[in-house]
């Protein structure tokens, strides 16, 4: 972000360009097949609040949707592999639409089972925002499933976005007018986290898990996380910390005022069809 004049745009290359062409083509074919032949799988991971750890009460606050491809030969493919290809090829649009419909249907079912305050978080790519129609599709899905917009959170990573892009700002404003909330995902890992917070109307900061791994043993990391939480609060944002694997990490985040926690320590991502039974007893 150095040496830029104000208002100048930057475009980051998707990481897929580092993959050999034949691998990209194979992944694109896998994606096509998954979309057309029922090969996508929806996973849900809890986002919780806690009063103390260990031993305190942990409350399920929301779930994040995470997509997988079930490949007929290679097993489960990770989104870190195929999302960049989906973005580059445009297949992120039908994929995002599939995830949204599955997620809303699940939330409607959860609501009927009494989980009527649970929030649902979607990961949204810059490409989906720039394609247009996202807000309308979400509004239509919410109405059809009789769900309140305030239960939806859209998570956006800074990597592929342009923080001064009018389309992004308009879309964000429309989503907030609808009643949905916006989270900046993987906070602190990109080149322009601060610039995003300055220019775009976020409600939630999700601190990336790379700041959490040594939290319980590294005073520097603990200081960094504490400062990020304080900064989020100073801006009036709610702070979620991702990637909590140990109770010491959870305790450290709570001691520093984190609002929500997410990670394997609480629960790994669960297949959507098993999630209701699992989460109702959480
Ligand atoms: P993300 O949105 O930051 O999601 C969190 C990732 O961290 C998930 O990886 C989750 O499984 C993993 N995780 C959660 N808790 C822990 C933990 O305690 N330790 C560790 N080591 N990892 C943990 P996943 O499911 O592989 O997804 C990777 C990324 O792919 C996501 O990062 C998101 O950026 C993207 N993604 C996933 N689903 C979608 C989707 O439907 N649409 C879009 N556009 N992107 C998606
Ligand atoms: Mg996310
Ligand atoms: Mg993240
Ligand atoms: Mg991520």
């Amino acid at each position: 972000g150095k040496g830029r004049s104000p208002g100048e745009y930057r475009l980051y290359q998707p990481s897929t360009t580092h993959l050999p062409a034949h691998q990209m083509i194979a992944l694109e074919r896998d994606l096509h097949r998954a979309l057309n032949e029922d090969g996508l799988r929806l996973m849900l991971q809890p986002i919780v609040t806690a009063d103390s750890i260990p031993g305190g009460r942990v409350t399920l606050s929301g779930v994040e949707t995470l997509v997988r491809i079930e490949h007929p030969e290679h097993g489960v493919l990770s989104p870190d592999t195929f999302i960049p290809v989906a973005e580059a090829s445009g297949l992120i649009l039908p994929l995002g639409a599939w995830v949204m419909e599955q997620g809303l249907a699940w939330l409607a079912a959860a609501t009927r089972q009494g989980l009527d305050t649970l929030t649902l978080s979607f990961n949204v790519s810059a490409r989906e925002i720039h394609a247009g129609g996202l807000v309308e599709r979400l509004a239509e899905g919410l109405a059809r499933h009789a769900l309140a917009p305030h239960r939806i959170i859209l998570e956006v990573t800074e990597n592929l976005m342009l923080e001064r892009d009018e389309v992004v700002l308009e879309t964000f404003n429309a989503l907030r007018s609808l009643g949905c909330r916006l989270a900046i995902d993987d906070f602190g890992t990109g080149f322009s986290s601060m610039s995003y917070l300055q220019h775009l109307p976020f409600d939630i900061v999700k601190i990336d898990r790379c700041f959490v791994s040594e939290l319980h043993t590294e005073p520097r990391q603990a200081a960094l996380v504490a400062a990020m939480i304080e900064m989020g609060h100073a801006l009036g944002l709610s702070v979620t910390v991702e990637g909590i694997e140990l109770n010491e990490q959870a305790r450290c985040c709570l001691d520093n005022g984190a609002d929500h926690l997410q990670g394997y320590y609480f629960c790994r991502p669960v297949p959507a069809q098993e999630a209701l039974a699992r989460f109702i007893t959480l």
Side-chain angles (χ1 to χ4, degrees):
K2 291 199 188 92
R4 257 195 324 149
S5 56
E8 191 182 323
Y9 292 164
R10 274 164 306 162
L11 194 55
Y12 297 113
Q13 290 298 313
S15 54
T16 356
T17 51
H18 301 303
L19 281 180
H22 69 273
Q23 270 187 40
M24 282 194 56
I25 291 163
L27 273 171
E28 203 178 314
R29 201 172 44 231
D30 293 341
L31 251 171
H32 259 293
R33 180 161 57 181
L35 276 160
N36 294 328
E37 296 171 27
D38 191 30
L40 294 175
R41 296 291 175 267
L42 186 70
M43 306 289 282
L44 299 171
Q45 186 181 33
I47 299 168
V48 306
T49 58
D51 44 20
S52 68
I53 286 182
R57 215 163 71 102
V58 173
T59 308
L60 180 66
S61 155
V63 297
E64 179 176 359
T65 58
L66 297 162
V67 69
R68 310 273 181 269
I69 288 178
E70 200 164 289
H71 192 282
E73 289 117 49
H74 304 138
V76 177
L77 305 186
S78 144
D80 284 328
T81 312
F82 64 81
I83 290 288
V85 179
E87 285 169 346
S89 62
L91 289 173
I92 193 69
L93 301 177
L95 182 132
W98 183 88
V99 170
M100 183 170 285
E101 179 52 29
Q102 298 295 308
L104 292 176
W106 184 85
L107 190 65
T111 303
R112 290 192 291 273
Q113 298 294 309
L115 298 176
D116 53 3
T117 59
L118 205 66
T119 64
L120 183 70
S121 299
F122 293 111
N123 292 288
V124 175
S125 295
R127 182 93 186 242
E128 295 176 83
I129 291 171
H130 285 118
L134 178 70
V135 186
E136 293 76 7
R137 188 155 45 76
L138 180 54
E140 184 278 319
L142 285 167
R144 186 162 35 81
H145 289 288
L147 290 164
H150 72 260
R151 297 181 62 192
I152 302 301
I153 297 164
L154 299 168
E155 302 189 358
V156 182
T157 53
E158 61 193 52
N159 303 340
L160 278 170
M161 297 218 349
L162 303 163
E163 75 269 30
R164 306 254 184 135
D165 187 318
E166 278 304 312
V167 176
V168 174
L169 187 60
E170 277 163 24
T171 306
F172 277 28
N173 285 333
L175 287 165
R176 292 181 99 219
S177 299
L178 184 63
C180 302
R181 279 176 293 164
L182 292 160
I184 182 165
D185 204 352
D186 302 347
F187 182 74
T189 59
F191 293 101
S192 48
S193 310
M194 300 300 167
S195 186
Y196 275 87
L197 284 186
Q198 191 187 344
H199 295 290
L200 291 168
F202 287 105
D203 304 283
I204 298 160
V205 174
K206 295 190 80 172
I207 297 177
D208 191 74
R209 68 165 189 266
C210 71
F211 299 103
V212 174
S213 49
E214 314 296 329
L215 197 53
H216 50 301
T217 52
E218 276 295 329
R220 287 174 64 89
Q221 214 175 50
L224 209 50
V225 167
M228 285 193 281
I229 293 170
E230 201 178 314
M231 185 200 63
H233 288 164
L235 291 168
L237 307 175
S238 171
V239 180
T240 303
V241 185
E242 308 189 274
I244 306 279
E245 296 182 355
L246 304 166
N247 72 46
E248 295 96 318
Q249 296 166 341
R251 185 150 19 98
C252 182
C253 292
L254 279 186
D255 288 348
N256 285 296
D259 302 290
H260 293 94
L261 305 173
Q262 183 177 3
Y264 296 168
Y265 173 69
F266 299 102
C267 190
R268 286 186 175 252
V270 174
Q273 64 272 23
E274 295 166 24
L276 253 181
R278 287 277 301 277
F279 297 168
I280 251 160
T281 59
L282 249 175

